[in-house]
Amino acid sequence: MNSVQIPWEDRPEGSKAVMWRFSQNPVIPRDLLPDSNSIFNSAVVPFEDGFAGVFRCDNTSRQMKIHAGFSKDGVNWDINHEPITFVEGNTPLLHSEYAYDPRVVWIEDRYWVQWCNGYHGPTIGIAYTFDFKTFHQCENAFLPYNRNGVLFPEKINGKYLMLSRPSDTGHTPFGDIFLSQSPDMKYWGEHRHVMSPAPFEDSAWQCMKIGAGPAPIKTEEGWLLIYHGVLRSCNGYVYAMGAALLDLEEPWKVLYRSQPYLLSPQTPYECMGDVPNVVFPCAALYEEESGKLAVYYGAADTVTGLAFAYVPELLDWLKANSL
Amino acid sequence: MNSVQIPWEDRPEGSKAVMWRFSQNPVIPRDLLPDSNSIFNSAVVPFEDGFAGVFRCDNTSRQMKIHAGFSKDGVNWDINHEPITFVEGNTPLLHSEYAYDPRVVWIEDRYWVQWCNGYHGPTIGIAYTFDFKTFHQCENAFLPYNRNGVLFPEKINGKYLMLSRPSDTGHTPFGDIFLSQSPDMKYWGEHRHVMSPAPFEDSAWQCMKIGAGPAPIKTEEGWLLIYHGVLRSCNGYVYAMGAALLDLEEPWKVLYRSQPYLLSPQTPYECMGDVPNVVFPCAALYEEESGKLAVYYGAADTVTGLAFAYVPELLDWLKANSL
Amino acid sequence: MNSVQIPWEDRPEGSKAVMWRFSQNPVIPRDLLPDSNSIFNSAVVPFEDGFAGVFRCDNTSRQMKIHAGFSKDGVNWDINHEPITFVEGNTPLLHSEYAYDPRVVWIEDRYWVQWCNGYHGPTIGIAYTFDFKTFHQCENAFLPYNRNGVLFPEKINGKYLMLSRPSDTGHTPFGDIFLSQSPDMKYWGEHRHVMSPAPFEDSAWQCMKIGAGPAPIKTEEGWLLIYHGVLRSCNGYVYAMGAALLDLEEPWKVLYRSQPYLLSPQTPYECMGDVPNVVFPCAALYEEESGKLAVYYGAADTVTGLAFAYVPELLDWLKANSL
Amino acid sequence: MNSVQIPWEDRPEGSKAVMWRFSQNPVIPRDLLPDSNSIFNSAVVPFEDGFAGVFRCDNTSRQMKIHAGFSKDGVNWDINHEPITFVEGNTPLLHSEYAYDPRVVWIEDRYWVQWCNGYHGPTIGIAYTFDFKTFHQCENAFLPYNRNGVLFPEKINGKYLMLSRPSDTGHTPFGDIFLSQSPDMKYWGEHRHVMSPAPFEDSAWQCMKIGAGPAPIKTEEGWLLIYHGVLRSCNGYVYAMGAALLDLEEPWKVLYRSQPYLLSPQTPYECMGDVPNVVFPCAALYEEESGKLAVYYGAADTVTGLAFAYVPELLDWLKANSL
Amino acid sequence: MNSVQIPWEDRPEGSKAVMWRFSQNPVIPRDLLPDSNSIFNSAVVPFEDGFAGVFRCDNTSRQMKIHAGFSKDGVNWDINHEPITFVEGNTPLLHSEYAYDPRVVWIEDRYWVQWCNGYHGPTIGIAYTFDFKTFHQCENAFLPYNRNGVLFPEKINGKYLMLSRPSDTGHTPFGDIFLSQSPDMKYWGEHRHVMSPAPFEDSAWQCMKIGAGPAPIKTEEGWLLIYHGVLRSCNGYVYAMGAALLDLEEPWKVLYRSQPYLLSPQTPYECMGDVPNVVFPCAALYEEESGKLAVYYGAADTVTGLAFAYVPELLDWLKANSL
Amino acid sequence: MNSVQIPWEDRPEGSKAVMWRFSQNPVIPRDLLPDSNSIFNSAVVPFEDGFAGVFRCDNTSRQMKIHAGFSKDGVNWDINHEPITFVEGNTPLLHSEYAYDPRVVWIEDRYWVQWCNGYHGPTIGIAYTFDFKTFHQCENAFLPYNRNGVLFPEKINGKYLMLSRPSDTGHTPFGDIFLSQSPDMKYWGEHRHVMSPAPFEDSAWQCMKIGAGPAPIKTEEGWLLIYHGVLRSCNGYVYAMGAALLDLEEPWKVLYRSQPYLLSPQTPYECMGDVPNVVFPCAALYEEESGKLAVYYGAADTVTGLAFAYVPELLDWLKANSL
């Protein structure tokens, strides 16, 4: 979209990992804002001569809000102290009880924000912005209860496509990824099942629930989807990150899906915090020429981390390690 | 729609009840079909010179299927031994894992069937028919997990309207009624919250979850909605039936809502069966001139009952006993 | 207290049961009042030339209320259509969110009513009346969460004594009987443990929770306590009735406690209703000279039944069948 | 084994059912013994010139005990008032905390009793008797937690075979049938998986857990197994009865398995009682020449019923209705 | 009370926090005693020329005991190796199954200890001491199940006042703060509701349960209450600390209540330990002239930490950030 | 068995602990293998001139596998990259869905491996090897659901003995240790109860479930059993380690059992990882002459640690601190 350089750090010497962590993690500390309890599960896109993003900032009342922010390098962020307020989009303004886990994607002429929106339960909120200053709130995509709504970066067959994970009212102990379609970002239908959790014996890190992460990345071989999977141990949920490749034309068809995880919670900032043992990807920056991929992920529901990979390597790994 | 006389029996002498049971209940026994385990939660509409319907018939494998049926008088039914099979409606045929709790409504030029459809979890299936012989299956209205999808009998502002109750994957212990809108019976949006369960202290029979019953009935004062409410005792769920009046133009606005129930499980056929203590309305026949209303309801998830009321009386009662 | 004859019916021929049901059960039907859903768990005492009582009458909104009622014979009841309203007792009036499961007992100069009172959760409400017309509400005995508060019919060592069953906010799956003491019906202390549920292998009908029933009956050998016990089957709770004998001077000491139940839900009106399989004693009339005992009990949380016994026989049985 | 006529009643006129109920059900009432609360889940075999059996008799303390009993006709029973006491079998006597759900089978030279035995949790108790007077208790077959242990009526490859359903400590919400083998009725091994619950969409009555019923019946085509299956509704477990055919030589191989149930709880004595909605087969009498089969089953965990079938018909039905 | 200097450390440079941690935390390590597993949730008061306290010391059998201890500076503690044993207070000695989470307060002429006392379940134990050598155990304040009993430091209207949080038998998932009154520290009544958990959308850190911490601190504007609130994440409970201001005369009336937390678990010693993510205040030392406040809190149910604030600042913050 | 020196490090100066950690812990890091997620719960025995072992290595698909490994010093390990594959032992090969938590013990002429084996649920797999290259898989010892099967290092009365902990299908919230006997490693019987969880008031670290750890160690006074116990806090399970002494001849008789734990999770590598707060012993090396004992234990279900003790001291401590 622009030629700004994405955040990057080479693979540590000696490592053979397909994905590796940034040595300066966490890149966004929990208390970057005066009254933030935590900043995580945040979305970043190229913007002007740098980057912009929408950030989940829980405050010290533990209210969940989303804030806009800006950065020259994708690592050092200037996040607005005040949460986003919305103006009317394609419908009169709806009340939002809370907002969390945003994603942002550029489609055609504008940035679309999707997030988990409180409307008598969690559902998928949608808004668009041109400048990360004014945000136009649209109709919620679905009925409650839903989470992890993720738009594709382009229309397919004239329709917007959104992945989501239908949920319940609490700490949902199940979850498949579905795909829905819309001619107009207002009415949604043609819901298709995409993926279920994997069998425990095959890939336990994703055996309880799964959910889409960053907007799918278009490659020649298909849509590259970074997603999270959850395992329930006797001491709670463990969130890790894997990848799948979806068909370019019929993206509800899964071509490959990683049996191993790409990244699981292993560092202190991933294992200790408000929700221990969470690695939760929400955004990715991709430099097509070099194949460099920088994934932003929430760590322990407390801070934000960065991890890197080369997409061609990742695709090879995915094909060689598919369920 | 036609001048066939709806089933009717006058209020028992001495009774002051707003709604009363048919003395010949259950009108449909559990074993009407050679291999039916139970026939309940069924939908009936006027059709030709009598009535037609779509019936939930669980077979002795306890598989949930919907069957078409016909009757001259609405009481004695001839139900097809084979379940409904579908042809393509507004989309290539989708696989349906199971089908239950149907509703039927006439809109403009055809009958629309809605039911709880198994597509990677329960969601709302939609089909249309002109003759109760050929049924055209359309796109599922929503993502899973949803139940009790109920269409309004006419378009409002050019859009189809559907009530539904977002659910989870099991015996959902929560449930609000929402309203969704569609320009084309394919894509749905503009989801609006209609009603939540009532506070326990005010109206405990509807304090855990609620769901729409028959298609709303148009009256001068609003849409009359018969709905079910659920209370959880230490020995399970108790399903009873109440009424609400929705705004004619903006039917997500509740004008009145009954604090008392209209009918709760009290007879042996309602209290004993596959699921004890269930009264679950799914269809209503209304004779506008006389005000007579005949409500079909599932009893104990086993058989089908009929109850009667006069709509003008019911409206008066509703207004006098509103939450 | 007076010489009115208590309700009575001789033991059925051929029966050797220690306690037997009234053949006219249920004595109070669920719909005795115009808008009652159920009348059960009710308390009866001798009053003037007949009997008075306080009755749990859930209305058709399933609100829990207590009503006063009167009877000449203890079988045919005239229950007030309006629930009891209170005036100030030993403290300014406290708000009551709901009222259920009353007990009534005469102590010294007045009737004391105890019930499960909604004050930010269930606790034990207290009121007194001289005439069953005016009821003076006092301080709640305890903090929430408590149920089945039952006063002794006389002071011991100058103090009022109350049995109760500390609970939680829902369908409590545990429950012991404790005894508390008060110099003034306002401040309570000296809490003593009385009985726990019985081991499953010894007496399963009372293995999950237990609670006092009618006010203890003074006999030469001790306080005779009729109480309920609960077993949890895979299909819910089963409430049955047993007996214990408490020390006259230190009534937190259990002298005998019945291993078998006296009565368990076995008739259709006990096994079918709003909560199947419930036998729940709340009141007893005792004719000391004849030894006749008439126990009022709620059946299936829907109607009220009567059962009879001879106290001397009951004591013999209790001593011969003690845990 | 002997030529005594098994209990029988022809199929009701007009019925096409493969299995039908005895019109005199329940054949054993709950209070046949002076202090029995319920008599159900009981085992019957031909014995001398009539029948003998081992009966689950819960007493009014709700203690679970097994009693011996005798009958000339299999319908009218004389059950010992005292529970079975054991003498040493193949090991010093082990303490038994409780005993329930017995099965009895003749193998070679004696009757073997199997039951759910309380030894630090439920497991499978084993005893033998020659005369139903003296019972020799042997080693428990398995470690806890196990239920529904059912021996084959003959050795196969020199080994005793037992079906069982590994369980947990409570109202187990899962359950497969396994087969274990023993050279000596003391040490068990070579455990093989036989059947799991069926998928919900295919045969919901057996979708939560399953367990063997009477001792398998040898037919030319295989071992005929009558078993129970359980469905969990929002109001509890529902137990129904089906059939399977196991390989004669390798009986852990399932040849056929009924998709529909044979009998589900539908009568008042099956739907109402200590545990509503239970049909639980434990014994069968088979008259090979006539093909007549009489199945004893517990109803509502309260009483004992009888149902009849013709084995050849049953086999045809089984093959035509197999999962 | 005396002029000993309370522990203190100035706010870290650059910090704007209203409350800040002691840099030498944890001040009491888990293994201070030879066989202690953990020392936390402990109570400290000025005593003679230093400080005394009652400490929750779980031993390596994980038994919960309370020990007396002494310190000159409030930071370095000498804790008795043996737990407190009691002599008779206002009643014959009651058996205590366990003792944890003590509070200590000076009222009039002596120190009162309150703790969670095991008496057939958790309830509030009371004792007094003059010298921290001899402890006189009194009647338990309430029936089980209760926790977090906290006395006010002076009588109001001639009565002792105690805050508490009624509970259940386990890891209680609910909890309001109530206030109870006593003329004599023996009988308790006049129970008043004080605060409920906050709505999730407003203040999620305190949305599941709340409980009083140190004895309320008298200020001109009201009683300053430091309390804990609990949030349930998918990985367990998170305990944080906030503040409220209660009316001086009618302290069940809440004047202000902090929407944000004062301190939440963020350091390794708060996030890692026997119960991760716990900050649990139990005692506070207040120097009125300087406004300095030192709060002792349990960290991760393992060690004891100290945090500081200025009361005037805290009150300003509380008023500016009230729910 | 051989004279190789076991791993050892003296007790830290000043420490009085009976068991102490190795300062180089964790001795096996989670990523020792190229694709290992974690290596823990592993079994080590003397082998040739060093040590061999069987190791639980979960891979990055979170599949549970067991691998063979070798070491000269017991600290630095060379673990095979490929999991163990089996050949036929005493029965045709059974399918294994997964394998975890191995133990290894030498009996008579060979090494026996026991592990938690997936066969339609977790049960106890058995195999033998002479060289840690070829492993012969035998019949599973028991029916599912079982875990923590641990063989004694010699036959007693001609029979193999195995401890185990019957379980359920999930994160079992209960668990006793039983002992079973076999003449031939194929058929098992004579099951005896050994130990239950301890009462909460006495020894809470082992109050929810317990399970055997390394193979029992023969001493003159009895079999020394190192075992784990589990406590459930509001934030999950906590696994600690204790000891018991079993009778030499009748090892189901417990002579002593430690009330305190020997080691509980306290270090970062025990408190942080895939399952926080786990110390789980699976193997022990014992040098009889010196009394030195080296215990291998899984830490946080992620890495492997070592802890040391002197057996004579441990026995003294055990006798002095017995429940």
Side-chain angles (χ1 to χ4, degrees), chain B residues 37 60-61 63 171 237 273 276, chain D residues 201 203-204 232 235 259 261 277:
Chain B
N37 168 75
T60 55
S61 302
Q63 293 176 297
H171 298 304
Y237 293 0
Chain D
E201 309 88 71
S203 187
R232 180 155 50 176
N235 284 3
Q259 187 174 19
Y261 58 72
N277 285 346

Side-chain angles (χ1 to χ4, degrees), chain D:
Chain D
M1 194 166 296
N2 58 11
S3 58
V4 176
Q5 207 175 327
I6 70 169
W8 187 255
E9 186 176 73
D10 283 342
R11 182 162 22 215
E13 202 146 341
S15 166
K16 294 183 174 169
V18 177
M19 181 172 277
W20 58 95
R21 290 172 182 82
F22 190 28
S23 63
Q24 295 169 41
N25 273 354
V27 291
I28 307 179
R30 64 186 307 167
D31 56 357
L32 185 65
L33 303 189
D35 74 339
S36 61
N37 167 75
S38 46
I39 307 179
F40 61 107
N41 299 357
S42 299
V44 168
V45 286
F47 176 70
E48 295 179 352
D49 60 343
F51 303 92
V54 178
F55 297 83
R56 172 173 174 178
C57 301
D58 292 5
N59 64 22
T60 55
S61 301
R62 296 296 299 264
Q63 291 176 298
M64 301 180 294
K65 311 274 192 183
I66 54 177
H67 294 230
F70 304 89
S71 172
K72 288 295 172 209
D73 59 6
V75 172
N76 298 287
W77 286 90
D78 186 16
I79 300 180
N80 294 345
H81 286 203
E82 289 308 310
I84 290 171
T85 54
F86 292 99
V87 301
E88 230 177 86
N90 64 9
T91 197
L93 260 189
L94 290 167
H95 176 62
S96 167
E97 297 151 10
Y98 48 77
Y100 64 84
D101 293 358
R103 271 78 167 187
V104 182
V105 68
W106 170 269
I107 313 178
E108 291 179 343
D109 62 349
R110 70 194 69 186
Y111 296 97
W112 291 90
V113 188
Q114 317 108 70
W115 69 94
C116 185
N117 192 29
Y119 175 74
H120 302 277
T123 186
I124 306 304
I126 296 180
Y128 60 85
T129 184
F130 298 96
D131 55 9
F132 286 89
K133 288 182 189 146
T134 306
F135 292 85
H136 303 260
Q137 189 180 350
C138 300
E139 282 287 337
N140 292 322
F142 309 123
L143 283 165
Y145 307 94
N146 208 315
R147 293 183 177 98
N148 295 304
V150 174
L151 285 165
F152 279 71
E154 61 182 59
K155 285 184 172 179
I156 296 180
N157 295 322
K159 287 174 280 192
Y160 295 101
L161 269 63
M162 183 183 277
L163 301 169
S164 74
R165 198 203 66 202
S167 300
D168 66 16
T169 55
H171 299 304
T172 318
F174 56 84
D176 292 17
I177 298 177
F178 289 78
L179 182 150
S180 303
Q181 308 179 48
S182 171
D184 53 11
M185 246 348 156
K186 191 166 191 177
Y187 301 102
W188 293 85
E190 295 174 303
H191 311 287
R192 295 293 176 270
H193 185 258
V194 180
M195 297 200 290
S196 292
F200 171 77
E201 309 88 71
D202 297 337
S203 187
W205 66 270
Q206 54 180 321
C207 72
M208 197 192 74
K209 59 178 172 180
I210 54 175
I217 295 157
K218 197 173 193 177
T219 75
E220 285 189 6
E221 305 189 59
W223 293 101
L224 174 61
L225 176 68
I226 307 286
Y227 67 99
H228 69 263
V230 184
L231 165 71
R232 180 155 50 176
S233 87
C234 64
N235 284 3
Y237 292 2
V238 178
Y239 285 75
M241 184 194 313
L245 199 69
L246 308 180
D247 187 81
L248 279 179
E249 294 307 311
E250 300 180 300
W252 51 88
K253 296 188 177 167
V254 180
L255 307 178
Y256 299 99
R257 174 180 177 185
S258 72
Q259 187 174 19
Y261 58 72
L262 277 169
L263 212 71
S264 86
Q266 305 201 356
T267 67
Y269 58 87
E270 293 160 350
C271 294
M272 200 162 57
D274 283 347
V275 184
N277 285 346
V278 177
V279 154
F280 193 97
C282 281
L285 297 171
Y286 176 38
E287 198 178 78
E288 198 167 352
E289 323 80 69
S290 66
K292 288 177 178 172
L293 183 74
V295 177
Y296 290 83
Y297 67 96
D301 273 19
T302 304
V303 295
T304 304
L306 259 175
F308 305 111
Y310 284 105
V311 166
E313 277 184 23
L314 204 162
L315 291 176
D316 288 348
W317 171 86
L318 177 51
K319 287 186 276 185
N321 290 279
S322 186
L323 262 181

Side-chain angles (χ1 to χ4, degrees), chain B residues 3-303:
Chain B
S3 57
V4 177
Q5 207 176 328
I6 70 169
W8 186 256
E9 188 176 70
D10 283 342
R11 182 161 24 213
E13 202 147 341
S15 166
K16 294 184 175 168
V18 176
M19 182 173 276
W20 58 97
R21 290 173 181 80
F22 190 27
S23 63
Q24 296 170 40
N25 273 354
V27 290
I28 307 179
R30 66 186 305 166
D31 57 357
L32 185 66
L33 303 189
D35 74 338
S36 61
N37 168 75
S38 45
I39 306 179
F40 61 108
N41 299 357
S42 299
V44 168
V45 286
F47 176 71
E48 295 178 351
D49 60 342
F51 303 92
V54 177
F55 297 83
R56 171 171 175 180
C57 301
D58 292 5
N59 64 22
T60 55
S61 302
R62 295 296 299 264
Q63 293 176 297
M64 301 180 292
K65 311 273 193 185
I66 53 176
H67 294 230
F70 304 89
S71 173
K72 289 293 172 213
D73 59 6
V75 173
N76 297 287
W77 285 90
D78 187 17
I79 299 179
N80 294 344
H81 288 203
E82 290 306 309
I84 290 171
T85 53
F86 291 99
V87 300
E88 232 176 84
N90 64 9
T91 197
L93 261 189
L94 291 167
H95 176 62
S96 167
E97 297 152 9
Y98 49 77
Y100 64 84
D101 293 358
R103 272 77 167 187
V104 182
V105 67
W106 170 269
I107 312 177
E108 293 180 342
D109 62 347
R110 70 193 71 185
Y111 296 96
W112 290 91
V113 188
Q114 316 108 70
W115 70 93
C116 185
N117 192 29
Y119 176 74
H120 303 277
T123 188
I124 306 305
I126 297 180
Y128 60 84
T129 184
F130 297 96
D131 54 10
F132 286 89
K133 289 182 188 147
T134 306
F135 292 84
H136 302 261
Q137 189 180 350
C138 301
E139 282 288 336
N140 292 321
F142 309 123
L143 283 165
Y145 306 95
N146 207 314
R147 292 183 179 98
N148 295 304
V150 174
L151 285 166
F152 279 70
E154 60 183 60
K155 287 185 173 177
I156 296 181
N157 293 323
K159 286 175 279 191
Y160 295 101
L161 268 63
M162 184 183 275
L163 300 169
S164 75
R165 198 202 67 203
S167 300
D168 66 15
T169 56
H171 298 304
T172 318
F174 57 84
D176 292 17
I177 297 176
F178 289 78
L179 182 151
S180 303
Q181 308 180 49
S182 171
D184 52 11
M185 241 358 151
K186 190 166 191 176
Y187 301 101
W188 293 85
E190 294 174 303
H191 312 286
R192 295 294 176 270
H193 184 259
V194 180
M195 298 200 288
S196 290
F200 170 76
E201 310 88 71
D202 297 337
S203 187
W205 67 269
Q206 55 179 323
C207 73
M208 196 192 75
K209 60 178 172 179
I210 53 174
I217 295 159
K218 198 172 192 176
T219 74
E220 285 189 5
E221 305 188 59
W223 293 101
L224 174 62
L225 177 68
I226 307 288
Y227 67 99
H228 69 263
V230 184
L231 165 71
R232 179 154 52 175
S233 88
C234 63
N235 284 4
Y237 293 0
V238 179
Y239 286 73
M241 184 194 313
L245 199 67
L246 309 180
D247 187 80
L248 279 179
E249 294 306 311
E250 299 180 300
W252 50 88
K253 296 190 177 164
V254 180
L255 306 179
Y256 299 99
R257 175 179 175 185
S258 72
Q259 187 173 22
Y261 57 72
L262 277 170
L263 212 71
S264 85
Q266 305 201 358
T267 67
Y269 58 87
E270 292 159 349
C271 294
M272 201 162 55
D274 283 347
V275 183
N277 285 346
V278 178
V279 154
F280 193 96
C282 283
L285 297 171
Y286 176 39
E287 201 179 76
E288 200 168 349
E289 322 81 67
S290 65
K292 289 178 178 173
L293 184 73
V295 176
Y296 290 83
Y297 67 96
D301 273 20
T302 303
V303 294

